[in-house]
Amino acid sequence: MKGHKNKKRKFEDYAYVLDYLEYGYPEDKRPMHQKRPIAQAFGEKQFVLMELILKDDKPVELAERVYIGKGKRDKVDYVSRMLKYEELTPTAKTELFYVIKEAVKRNEKRFMKFINECAPITTKMHALQLLPGIGKTTMWKIIDERESKPFESFEDVEKRVHRNILDAIAKRIEDELKEPQKYYLFVKWKEH
């Protein structure tokens, strides 16, 4: 258990609403007065799926970015639990890719650092190849381009490599949330 003492657990400050259930889950058999409004959400930095208990008088919109950090929260009472992909409602599953894209866009510097610095995972596979739509040819083009000048934005990658790297990263995150992977690039917390 060495090394775990100094590791500080990181918490999300913001989440994106994937689904809003004003009267809780339909299968919840409790009387109406005992049910609370619930939102299924996606964490902006750690990429976790979670269930939020909302304040009774504060409805939320799909894809809305809500504050869930420490201190005073406007709409969220508390985070009740982490969710697995299978527990998401059909609406939440539909919204997921779009809110992932929004979170990735908002953290563009973090992903440019990844694109500019990622390395091979094994002797035969590079981390870039784990991104959907990135084969050996595109991987080498990215590597060659970043060596001549580091990428500055998603737009820069698209201009120089002719690939939509934003969609590729968002799809990879969605895949990591959906099903077990041999290698995880972005999703840190995962219950297997």
Side-chain angles (χ1 to χ4, degrees):
M1 287 298 236
K2 279 185 180 176
H4 288 295
K5 281 184 180 177
N6 295 336
K7 271 196 174 173
K8 229 182 154 189
R9 196 159 160 220
K10 291 181 182 174
F11 292 96
E12 295 283 359
D13 285 325
Y14 289 94
Y16 292 88
V17 175
L18 296 170
D19 197 3
Y20 170 54
L21 304 152
E22 190 176 0
Y23 303 106
Y25 294 107
E27 61 275 1
D28 185 348
K29 301 293 182 221
R30 292 179 299 168
M32 284 303 268
H33 71 277
Q34 290 180 348
K35 294 182 182 184
R36 304 261 331 253
I38 292 173
Q40 290 188 335
F42 170 76
E44 183 176 78
K45 292 216 183 330
Q46 304 295 313
F47 307 137
V48 293
L49 299 171
M50 62 187 86
E51 180 180 272
L52 309 175
I53 303 300
L54 302 170
K55 295 183 177 182
D56 289 330
D57 57 342
K58 304 286 185 176
V60 293
E61 302 290 324
L62 290 186
E64 181 178 343
R65 184 174 179 252
V66 294
Y67 181 70
I68 61 168
K70 298 197 184 313
K72 186 173 173 4
R73 300 182 196 117
D74 291 339
K75 297 185 174 191
V76 176
D77 200 3
Y78 60 93
V79 176
S80 64
R81 66 189 179 112
M82 296 299 127
L83 296 171
K84 293 180 186 169
Y85 179 82
E86 304 79 55
E87 296 174 288
L88 294 178
T89 64
T91 300
K93 287 177 182 175
T94 303
E95 283 294 308
L96 185 60
F97 179 74
Y98 303 103
V99 300
I100 291 172
K101 262 180 81 166
E102 195 53 44
V104 170
K105 263 191 254 179
R106 200 174 265 279
N107 291 285
E108 188 172 38
K109 278 187 180 144
R110 168 183 174 185
F111 292 102
M112 284 307 100
K113 183 175 169 48
F114 169 79
I115 296 297
N116 287 320
E117 297 175 5
C118 67
I121 294 173
T122 68
T123 53
K124 294 183 187 246
M125 183 180 289
H126 197 281
L128 289 168
Q129 290 175 275
L130 295 177
L131 299 177
I134 308 292
K136 272 200 187 317
T137 307
T138 307
M139 173 202 72
W140 283 114
K141 183 138 176 75
I142 291 171
I143 291 169
D144 290 344
E145 286 290 328
R146 76 184 190 186
E147 282 176 6
S148 65
K149 181 179 181 243
F151 292 105
E152 294 174 16
S153 66
F154 293 122
E155 197 179 307
D156 187 25
V157 176
E158 198 159 348
K159 230 188 282 177
R160 290 163 53 190
V161 183
H162 311 292
R163 278 286 185 272
N164 182 336
I165 205 78
L166 170 62
D167 281 0
I169 290 169
K171 183 74 180 108
R172 177 63 195 188
I173 293 168
E174 184 181 40
D175 290 348
E176 289 182 16
L177 288 167
K178 273 184 178 180
E179 55 212 37
Q181 304 286 323
K182 186 171 182 177
Y183 303 105
Y184 287 87
L185 296 176
F186 306 114
V187 176
K188 302 284 187 253
W189 184 89
K190 185 85 171 130
E191 212 176 86
H192 300 287

